[in-house]
Amino acid sequence: MLSVVFAPAFYLAPTGFGLFLLWPLRNRHLAARLPIAFLVGAVFMTRLYELAEERHVVEEFFSDSIWWVALLSILGILGSVAWSRRTPVRWDAVALAAMIAVPSFFFCYFWISSYPFTDVFQDIHPMKMAEEFAKTHVLNGVDGMSYIPVKPVLNGLMIGAVDYDQLVGVWALAPWTAVFRLLVAWHATRLVGSDGNRVLAFVLLAGMLLAFDMTNGVMCAFGAILLLVELVEFGQRFERKPLGAAVVLLLPISVYLEWRFLGRDPVPSLVAMTLALATMAAVWSPQPQLGRALLVVVLVGCLVQLHRGSMLFVTVAAGAGAALTMRNSLAVLWPAAITGRFLLPIGLGASAIVIAASLSHISLPFSLEEFYVSILSSLIRVDGPETMLGTGAKNAAIEWVQAIGPLMAIMIGAVILWSTVTKLGRKIWAMPSFVIPWGLASGLTCVILTGLPYVYRSAPLACVFFAIALSVALPLLWFHLRQPLSLPALVLLGLGGMYGVLMLAVPSLSLYGRFYWPVLICLIAAAAATFYCMRAAPKYRGAVLVASIATAIAADRLSEKVALFPHVYGVPPSPVAYISHYGAEDLAAGEAIDQLPADTVAVSDPYTLSIVRARSGLNTTFSYSNLDTLNEFSETHLRGALLAIRAGDQSGFCTELREMMPIAGNYRHLLDRLHLSKSSIDVAVVFSSRTASWSDLLPGGRQSYFSSLGPLDAEIVQKLSAIDAGIRLVQGRIAMINVRCELPPGLLVQTRN
């Protein structure tokens, strides 16, 4: 229960700390400051703890630091509330946000998932780091050197304070994650001009941006949206718009290069951020424009430190900000109009062909995946399997559809058709407030659909541009059609029928009937409400339409995400009850070894190790980022170790383990931080039927993502029982063996005085 009560501290602590640091912004509306404060506070806190951990200060002051963080956060929140500029609350936006978020949360966490069985693989590395940080006060980030450990620091502090359970946090944090995402969506509507409808843009953005996961990549992408808003408002204050556009383009890119030059060390980053914040506080009142430039410096610094994809996000935000600053210039209008009117339909048509071919198992005569990988290989060292996961037109099309949603894609197609074949529709291409964001969204979509590696991560920015453009186009289309309230109702019913036909026509989708019915009920209810209100007063008709759109977008994206599960996870067993790579036995194994010493090494197949490490904080003898993308050396020796232990060969197991110890980066880092010398290591081997099947795979083979453990083979149990240290069974399906392996002199020694 404490984990649920204290879960909001994950957001409140860095937000309060950020409000304390961003005191010059106190005159801004509080809702506009909250998402920026969270990013700044989270990055600054994380870098402080990294520096303290490197200097071995955390060991002595870990508990005291929790109280200091809480005190500064409370002061920041109370001070901001007291000094905030009083502005009316937009209750219409709050109601619409709740209308989208609340049903979505219950659909995801109480209908799709059976707690605690949910997919947490993307969280296992930060979960492991957080457990280890709370127990040993070591920030062991060897697995994720391209990220700063925001989640491990925040979760580790909560574990140390109230014994916070991170699995509970998977769903307990979800409502607060939704609040953060919706605040960013509302912040982005500041880009809507006088011709647009801000509430409609918020509804569209909330439907497209709402989700319940929070990673460094998500923080970086949403930080880029905040950066875009600040850049546009900064550029609009220049009297000469070309000068403003040039500054908006060059400032973030040059600042990005300077931040990259500072490197991974937290010291220069903290010094640079402190100087920027202190200077901003000093100059904001006399020189507000310079203060806004320094805020851009701070935001870019946060993005650079959060994720390696910051180069993509900063570039897109800078280019889009410059274009929006010059929105009335013909030099920008013409390329945007050409891109929106011609290139976007071509790109969407090509994407539809690729998706249709993949669903029909038809091989296309062209493929860009190998071409991209060959170019990347000539420039940098790339891991082929991992790079392929984010490369190619098929992956890009699926990721774009998942970000935009089929219903939004239908709206985009309707606007393209209306603006092409009708006289009134063609007039919209003379409106800069529509053309520029539509052109930006179209250009970014076309780049994404080429399948360039990981460019699809910029889809949230495309969502922003589409929402701004549609907030202008949809009201005009609505009035052009003379407000036929029956039209959205029919669209909703047609959408529900389309999903029903797909469930029957595509065999692999028939497994998801359990998820389809709630979606169909939502669509029918929205359609019925629309028909019922057709005779209502005109002032209520717009509200009914917006409510219908909000309900449809939320239901549509959730069902579409479920329909794409096979692309991400493979075909699941029937019936689908949860989406997970682990089961109750794996969870019990993780709980059972949670009390082992921190210098114990965990060994098992990657699927089992993921949850065992996340629950115990133990290290292993190899590094990996995805369940089935081990490098060849690690895969070979891990498989050899597991084959040896299942045969009862402890000597052979230790031989394979010794071969892997030189690459055991996480484990060596822990020993270095704790000043330990080791002549032997204690190993916790977790062995299940899935471990046995993984050890039998051919090199590069893959297992099903879904957990389906059977009883261990009696012969394997007999062999495991012969190990000197003995065997412990957890629920009869997972064997846990404690093994001690001697190490050659000097293999693992103390490296720090």
Side-chain angles (χ1 to χ4, degrees), residues 366-557:
F366 57 88
S367 176
L368 298 175
E369 286 87 342
E370 295 180 0
F371 173 69
Y372 291 144
V373 173
S374 64
I375 292 178
L376 285 177
S377 300
S378 64
L379 298 175
I380 57 175
R381 182 180 179 274
V382 296
D383 187 345
E386 271 199 76
T387 305
M388 293 295 287
L389 291 176
T391 303
K394 177 184 175 183
N395 286 334
I398 290 175
E399 293 289 347
W400 185 85
V401 171
Q402 186 169 336
I404 300 294
L407 181 57
M408 287 299 302
I410 292 173
M411 290 184 185
I412 292 169
V415 170
I416 292 175
L417 185 64
W418 170 68
S419 64
T420 302
V421 302
T422 67
K423 183 177 180 181
L424 179 61
R426 286 192 290 271
K427 292 182 179 179
I428 200 172
W429 294 105
M431 300 176 61
S433 57
F434 168 81
V435 173
I436 301 301
W438 187 267
L440 289 170
S442 302
L444 188 55
T445 295
C446 291
V447 174
I448 290 172
L449 295 179
T450 61
L452 285 166
Y454 297 107
V455 176
Y456 64 78
R457 287 173 173 167
S458 61
L461 286 162
C463 293
V464 172
F465 304 140
F466 273 127
I468 296 170
L470 289 173
S471 72
V472 177
L474 289 180
L476 294 177
L477 175 59
W478 177 253
F479 287 116
H480 186 202
L481 297 175
R482 297 183 180 178
Q483 306 180 26
L485 276 169
S486 58
L487 182 62
L490 294 174
V491 169
L492 293 171
L493 290 174
L495 189 64
M498 181 183 68
Y499 278 120
V501 171
L502 285 175
M503 295 292 174
L504 297 174
V506 183
S508 61
L509 297 183
S510 62
L511 298 171
Y512 301 102
R514 177 174 181 268
F515 310 128
Y516 165 71
W517 289 110
V519 175
L520 181 61
I521 291 171
C522 289
L523 294 172
I524 292 175
T530 304
F531 273 121
Y532 178 77
C533 295
M534 284 180 64
R535 297 183 179 181
K539 65 178 180 180
Y540 296 115
R541 294 187 179 182
V544 172
L545 174 64
V546 172
S548 302
I549 293 175
T551 306
I553 289 175
D556 179 66
R557 287 190 70 248

Side-chain angles (χ1 to χ4, degrees), residues 27 47 55 61 172 177 196 202 302 481 493 510 590 608 616:
N27 289 327
R47 299 305 260 173
R55 302 298 189 270
F61 300 106
T177 301
F202 173 67
C302 290
L481 297 175
L493 290 174
S510 62
T608 304
S616 65

